[in-house]
Amino acid sequence: MRKYFVSTCNLARFMKEERTIYAVILLPIVLVIAYLNGADALYRFFEQNAPESIYGIAEPLIIMSIMSIMPLLIGFCSAFVILDELENRIQRYYCITPLGKTGYLFSRIMAPGIIIALVNLLLLIVIRPEHYSILQVLGVAVCASLEGIVICLFISDFSSNRVEGMAFGKISGFMLAVMFIPYVSKWNVIKIFMLFPSYWYGRFVLDLSVKNFACCLTVSLVWVLFLVRKFIVQNI
């Protein structure tokens, strides 16, 4: 476990060189302060000016927007660190050290996911959304963590350098935005988006049902397993 911890600390050290890391640090603080001070006024605005159907989804929509920031930013940061290592072929060196393939994958992919889950769990505890049980809070944090892992792997798998990483980063941002579709449309055409983990993430935050959590978990794990396998075949 010590070698995994050291490798994860190295990832954090490399991430410090990314400008995005400042947003990772500051945005959660800003969002929590804004939510705690402006949520009541925002809900009153929705209650007075928005249709009842919109007001009913205001809280989950706002919470999901806050929870999506960390997966996107940390997924970007960790993916760009991996791309730097792939470009310089450092990852092969890590894999022949005592760290091994498993340790490398854990420190570069799983560790950021754990960080996302812990930060989002802390944010949810501070925000204290109504009608959320402890298990539901944990479920939202886990789903957000899986979204970050998928983003990191997607960028790393389909990019060979930072320039391509920026392009695929935008695509992964659009993939994450699929989570808003259940809030804005009930047409049958949205069924095509059921293949995306973020769609089920949005559904789960909307109604907090066990069924949607299970779907989110299943679809996310299928994506993660496919992308991890692709990453290993291509790069390790």
Side-chain angles (χ1 to χ4, degrees):
M1 289 303 295
R2 183 177 181 275
K3 58 188 177 183
Y4 293 178
F5 177 75
V6 171
S7 183
T8 303
C9 290
N10 286 335
L11 173 66
R13 181 166 57 84
F14 296 144
M15 287 174 65
K16 283 170 57 179
E17 301 175 4
E18 302 289 339
R19 293 182 180 179
T20 315
I21 197 65
Y22 299 107
V24 172
I25 296 171
L26 293 176
L27 263 179
I29 300 173
V30 172
L31 289 172
V32 167
I33 293 174
Y35 181 86
L36 293 177
N37 289 280
D40 292 338
L42 188 60
Y43 289 147
R44 282 198 299 270
F45 172 81
F46 275 111
E47 186 177 13
Q48 295 172 3
N49 300 284
E52 186 176 348
S53 59
I54 300 296
Y55 174 70
I57 64 173
E59 183 183 34
L61 186 60
I62 293 170
I63 290 173
M64 190 179 63
S65 299
I66 296 174
M67 294 298 103
S68 66
I69 297 296
M70 295 307 294
L72 192 62
L73 294 180
I74 293 184
F76 271 28
C77 286
S78 55
F80 287 141
V81 170
I82 292 173
L83 288 176
D84 282 342
E85 293 174 346
L86 295 180
E87 202 167 355
N88 297 313
R89 301 190 182 280
I90 300 175
Q91 86 284 0
R92 298 186 185 275
Y93 164 76
Y94 281 119
C95 293
I96 62 173
T97 63
L99 182 66
K101 294 180 181 180
T102 303
Y104 179 77
L105 292 172
F106 175 86
S107 61
R108 294 299 182 268
I109 297 170
M110 293 303 299
I114 294 171
I115 293 171
I116 292 169
L118 292 175
V119 172
N120 275 346
L121 185 61
L122 180 61
L123 289 177
L124 284 168
I125 291 172
V126 174
I127 290 173
R128 300 187 304 276
E130 296 180 4
H131 314 303
Y132 274 57
S133 67
I134 294 176
L135 289 177
Q136 288 167 341
V137 167
L138 287 172
V140 171
V142 168
C143 289
S145 172
L146 289 170
E147 295 302 314
I149 292 173
V150 169
I151 288 173
C152 174
L153 283 168
F154 180 80
I155 297 173
S156 304
D157 279 1
F158 293 98
S159 310
S160 56
N161 53 56
R162 280 176 167 266
V163 176
E164 292 181 4
M166 291 296 294
F168 281 101
K170 294 175 183 177
I171 295 174
S172 65
F174 286 121
M175 289 170 56
L176 186 62
V178 170
M179 64 185 179
F180 294 106
I181 289 179
Y183 294 80
V184 299
S185 176
K186 295 184 179 180
W187 298 343
N188 289 331
V189 71
I190 69 174
K191 290 181 179 179
I192 193 173
F193 296 106
M194 292 180 180
L195 298 174
F196 293 93
S198 53
Y199 172 84
W200 295 105
Y201 175 49
R203 289 284 301 269
F204 173 59
V205 178
L206 180 61
D207 61 13
L208 299 173
S209 69
V210 176
K211 174 188 172 183
N212 285 328
F213 172 73
C215 289
C216 180
L217 198 62
T218 303
V219 176
S220 297
L221 288 176
V222 169
W223 273 71
V224 169
L225 291 174
F226 168 76
L227 292 172
V228 166
R229 179 176 175 79
K230 188 175 188 305
F231 183 84
I232 292 173
V233 171
Q234 284 184 174
N235 304 303
I236 298 179

